[in-house]
Amino acid sequence: MELEILEQDACEALGMGAFLGVAKASDLPPKFIHLTYRPSGTPRRKLAIVGKGLTFDSGGLNIKAGAGSMIEMMKFDMGGAAATLGAAKAIAQLKPDVEVHFISAAAENMISGRAMRPGDILTASNGKTIEVNNTDAEGRLTLADALVFAEKLGVDAIVDLATLTGACIVALGDNIAGLWSTDDTLAKDLQQAAQTAGEKYWQMPLEDKYFDGLKSIVADMKNTGPRFGGAITAALFLKQFIQSVPWAHLDIAGTVWTEKENGYNSPGGTGFGVRTLVQWVLS
Ligand code: 4TK
Ligand code: ZN
Ligand code: ZN
């Protein structure tokens, strides 16, 4: 495989203000990871898999506080990137006739004098502006620039995976992930792959009307909307960074970690997403 790591200066040159806003407070530098698998012959199709890669999510200045905030779980906030790289390892061994780009805008969401402030306005690499009304909705900021980057590669489809919202766990619990898609064929292909792989996804609506909840008077959008329907507004936010390529978003916040044996997984990280992604790429 080919590996390209974009350091902070390269991300700045590409205008990735949303991703870099999230990374500002950490002592650890952001890394934009782009790993490519190319088959030996002409690829049958070209795909991109994008994983949220927050190595730790403190919440930033909107710090995760109080019982139930799950701050002690937040090493799991790289579960999307982990699934992406896990799929890369398997795909490189299975050698399908498909070109696959594996992408993660990796960073740590922290607090310091250099932190992104609530109320800051960020400009993403597609030129859209974002009013940050909650620094803890950082995953969608990192994914925004990663999705713009993925579409520029000229792929036939993009799938992102992210431990994106607590609201998705409220909706679907810890054994079913949320699936949103702009393309019914892609949604169907993913559901077929998931069924073969033994993972559960439930398709959720991209209800355009709910984008009203993200309206800002100072920017193109806010990064968080009302509490109700929070997993849907998160998906609608991501959609702003896709132009026309078929795209699916998988919210895996509930499924990446388990405290107990549940018939599918042992305690710890579950690797959720890997099996479905590999099956989908091979299909
Ligand atoms: C994400 N936070 C949210 O969904 C808000 C909008 C309530 C802040 C989060 O921190 N994303 O980066 Br468990 C979230 C994700 C998983 C879990 C709790 C909160
Ligand atoms: Zn967060
Ligand atoms: Zn997060």
Side-chain angles (χ1 to χ4, degrees):
M1 290 194 278
E2 292 167 31
L3 176 65
E4 178 189 31
I5 305 283
L6 304 180
E7 304 290 346
Q8 178 161 343
D9 53 348
C11 295
E12 271 163 21
L14 287 170
M16 295 184 175
F19 170 45
L20 293 174
V22 173
K24 269 171 76 180
S26 179
D27 288 338
L28 303 171
K31 304 274 173 180
F32 190 100
I33 301 165
H34 176 203
L35 185 62
T36 307
Y37 164 77
R38 289 180 207 282
S40 50
T42 310
R44 177 164 60 84
R45 53 184 185 149
K46 301 186 184 186
L47 304 172
I49 298 171
V50 178
K52 172 177 170 182
L54 268 293
T55 55
F56 182 70
D57 179 10
S58 71
L61 285 165
N62 292 106
I63 193 165
K64 292 181 185 285
S69 76
M70 304 218 276
I71 192 168
E72 76 285 0
M73 295 294 304
M74 287 297 155
K75 61 185 180 185
F76 85 2
D77 217 22
M78 37 59 82
T84 299
L85 297 178
K89 182 171 182 178
I91 287 162
Q93 290 172 0
L94 292 164
K95 302 193 193 321
D97 56 349
V98 178
E99 182 176 308
V100 192
H101 297 267
F102 304 93
I103 294 162
S104 184
E108 186 185 42
N109 188 21
M110 291 296 280
I111 301 176
S112 77
R114 286 177 283 115
M116 168 172 79
R117 272 72 163 165
D120 277 359
I121 298 168
L122 305 176
T123 305
S125 46
N126 65 349
K128 292 200 180 179
T129 56
I130 304 156
E131 177 188 1
V132 178
N133 61 340
N134 188 338
T135 62
D136 194 12
E138 84 301 331
R140 62 195 74 181
L141 298 171
T142 65
L143 287 168
D145 284 323
L147 292 172
V148 171
F149 182 94
E151 186 160 8
K152 283 197 263 182
L153 298 170
V155 292
D156 302 312
I158 300 173
V159 175
D160 79 68
L161 301 94
T163 49
L164 202 63
T165 67
C168 191
I169 314 180
V170 174
L172 298 174
D174 62 8
N175 208 34
I176 307 174
L179 184 163
W180 287 257
S181 185
T182 53
D183 186 278
D184 289 341
T185 304
L186 176 57
K188 196 168 86 6
D189 290 349
L190 285 166
Q191 286 289 25
Q192 181 67 57
Q195 202 181 358
T196 306
E199 291 183 339
K200 293 184 181 178
Y201 296 82
W202 192 262
Q203 192 168 356
M204 303 277 275
L206 279 169
E207 183 69 30
D208 282 328
K209 183 80 180 105
Y210 289 5
F211 190 75
D212 289 353
L214 293 175
K215 288 225 165 104
S216 165
I217 59 166
V218 290
D220 292 320
M221 69 202 89
K222 299 190 286 194
N223 73 328
T224 47
R227 197 162 70 86
F228 293 158
I232 297 173
T233 45
L236 289 169
F237 178 93
L238 297 181
K239 189 174 165 232
Q240 298 300 306
F241 301 91
I242 295 287
Q243 283 186 316
S244 60
V245 66
W247 159 73
H249 160 57
L250 308 176
D251 193 331
I252 59 173
T255 58
V256 295
W257 185 269
T258 181
E259 295 287 328
K260 54 188 190 306
E261 171 69 46
N262 67 5
Y264 302 97
N265 298 297
S266 308
T270 63
F272 191 93
V274 173
R275 290 172 289 182
T276 295
L277 290 171
V278 172
Q279 192 64 39
W280 172 63
V281 168
L282 264 58
S283 69

